[in-house]
């Protein structure tokens, strides 16, 4: 065998080695990047879990960072009772699940109308929808409270349900825009075939177009549910009766009591509070974990469908 033939045999082996080395380096880089990003997002949850299992002595001990000296679940038991978890959980569901279900349907109707029909004043109405999206809700607090008070909706679920029925409520305009973008991507032949079969506009929407919007429906429902669940602004504005507080409001009550105990323990003065560990800190962490736990469980079961729906709904843009 001459030298030219031997070079032909050794050259592919070198190229294969370099290719494998490059693939391994890329995998290592991707894994390191993913683990680093995962830690950034998981850090708050891990911090909550760690602190909620600590006793006040562990919080004040500088040598205790992540793992407490003795694991304790008493914080969860105590906070569960203080939150009145069963009652407040039910009220949180009524304040979040019902409006989310309503917005999923009503925003689809409005979004379908804007996406597939041309009518007088369409541009003005769409501009008003965008305007409601841009205006901060804090700027209309006073007239909104006066209006709801006149309708006797204060301390009532109607303050959340009626705006959702009217395609408003928490971020309703954003959900309309999501549906508009999705329905614009559907082929017009579907509606033409429905008209040929004698279906009217409502039947076409309810039997053909709305079932096809499942990706957008899932995105809107989950966004609305999570935002209503975590929202404290609207419940704090419309629910003033402490017996009707939801989880986030009841948690704020516990936090306020903890700050009050800390202030009274220091002689009624807030001076010198820097560096002092609140005695209620671990209980507040446990309460925060119990508050977000239902949404975490929901995400664990729906994360796969949620990611697929976001891609199919085209929220990220084309």
């Amino acid at each position: 065998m001459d030298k030219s033939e031997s070079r032909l045999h050794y050259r592919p082996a070198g190229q294969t080695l370099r290719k494998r080395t490059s693939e391994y380096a890329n995998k290592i880089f991707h894994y390191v990047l993913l683990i680093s990003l995962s830690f950034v997002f998981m850090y708050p949850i891990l911090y909550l879990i760690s602190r909620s299992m600590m006793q006040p002595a562990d919080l004040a001990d500088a040598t205790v960072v992540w793992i407490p000296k003795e694991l304790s679940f008493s914080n969860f038991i105590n906070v569960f009772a203080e939150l009145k978890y069963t009652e407040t959980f039910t009220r949180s569901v009524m304040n979040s699940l019902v409006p989310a279900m309503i917005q999923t349907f009503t925003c689809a109707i409005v979004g379908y109308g804007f996406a597939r029909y041309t009518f007088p004043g369409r541009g003005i109405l769409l501009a008003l929808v965008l305007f409601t999206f841009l205006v901060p809700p804090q700027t209309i607090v006073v007239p909104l409270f006066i209006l709801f008070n006149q309708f006797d909706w204060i301390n009532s679920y109607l303050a959340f349900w009626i705006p959702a029925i009217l395609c408003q409520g928490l971020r309703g305009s954003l959900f309309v825009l999501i549906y508009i973008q999705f329905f614009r991507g559907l082929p017009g032949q579907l509606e033409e075939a429905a008209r040929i079969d004698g279906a009217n506009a409502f039947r076409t929407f309810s039997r053909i177009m709305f079932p096809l919007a499942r990706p957008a429906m899932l995105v809107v429902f989950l966004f609305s549910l999570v935002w209503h669940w975590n929202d404290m602004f609207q419940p704090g504005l419309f629910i003033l009766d402490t017996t009707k507080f939801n989880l986030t409001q009841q948690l704020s009550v516990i936090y306020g009591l903890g700050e009050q105990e800390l202030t009274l323990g220091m002689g009624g003065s807030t001076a010198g509070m820097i560096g002092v560990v609140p005695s209620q800190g671990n209980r507040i962490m446990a309460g925060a974990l119990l508050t977000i736990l239902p949404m975490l469980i929901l995400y664990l079961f729906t994360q796969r469908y949620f990611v697929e729906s976001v891609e199919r709904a085209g929220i990220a843009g084309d």
Side-chain angles (χ1 to χ4, degrees), residues 60 103 123 129:
Q103 282 185 321
V129 172

Side-chain angles (χ1 to χ4, degrees), residues 17 24 28 39 65 153 177 190 199 218 235 254 256 267 282 304 314 317:
L17 180 60
Y24 289 146
I28 293 174
F39 178 77
V65 181
W153 291 351
L177 296 177
L190 296 172
L218 181 60
I254 296 177
N282 52 349
R304 170 186 171 187

Side-chain angles (χ1 to χ4, degrees), residues 94-253:
M94 299 298 292
N95 287 341
S96 56
L97 180 61
V98 176
M101 295 174 63
I102 296 174
Q103 282 185 321
T104 302
F105 180 71
T106 57
C107 293
I109 296 177
V110 177
Y112 176 73
F114 279 121
R116 311 299 290 193
Y117 289 94
T118 302
F119 50 88
R122 176 180 176 273
I124 297 177
L125 292 176
L126 185 58
L128 290 176
V129 172
L130 295 175
F131 181 74
T132 59
F133 175 68
L134 298 175
V135 174
Q138 291 81 0
T139 59
I140 58 175
V141 165
V142 175
L144 197 63
F145 183 85
I146 294 175
L147 178 65
F148 285 5
N149 189 36
Q150 291 175 349
F151 291 153
D152 198 19
W153 291 351
I154 303 300
N155 294 321
S156 173
Y157 296 132
L158 296 178
F160 307 95
W161 296 354
I162 300 299
I165 293 175
L166 299 177
C167 197
Q168 284 297 308
L170 188 62
R171 294 179 175 86
S173 55
L174 174 62
F175 303 145
V176 171
L177 296 177
I178 292 175
Y179 277 117
I180 290 175
Q181 183 175 2
F182 181 83
F183 283 124
R184 281 178 176 174
L186 296 180
Q189 291 81 357
L190 296 172
E191 295 167 305
E192 295 177 1
R195 293 192 192 99
I196 294 174
D197 293 338
N200 55 22
F202 180 77
R203 189 178 181 85
T204 300
F205 169 77
S206 61
R207 300 296 295 273
I208 298 176
M209 306 301 287
F210 187 64
L212 291 176
R214 290 177 182 175
M217 289 166 53
L218 181 60
V219 171
V220 169
F221 174 75
L222 291 178
F223 277 168
S224 179
L225 178 63
V226 173
W227 283 336
H228 276 96
W229 187 275
N230 295 330
D231 183 44
M232 282 191 60
F233 177 72
Q234 288 191 358
L237 181 64
F238 303 135
I239 305 297
L240 306 179
D241 188 355
T242 57
T243 61
K244 297 181 179 181
F245 277 7
N246 57 18
L247 278 173
T248 54
Q249 290 177 292
Q250 194 66 25
L251 180 62
S252 66
V253 171

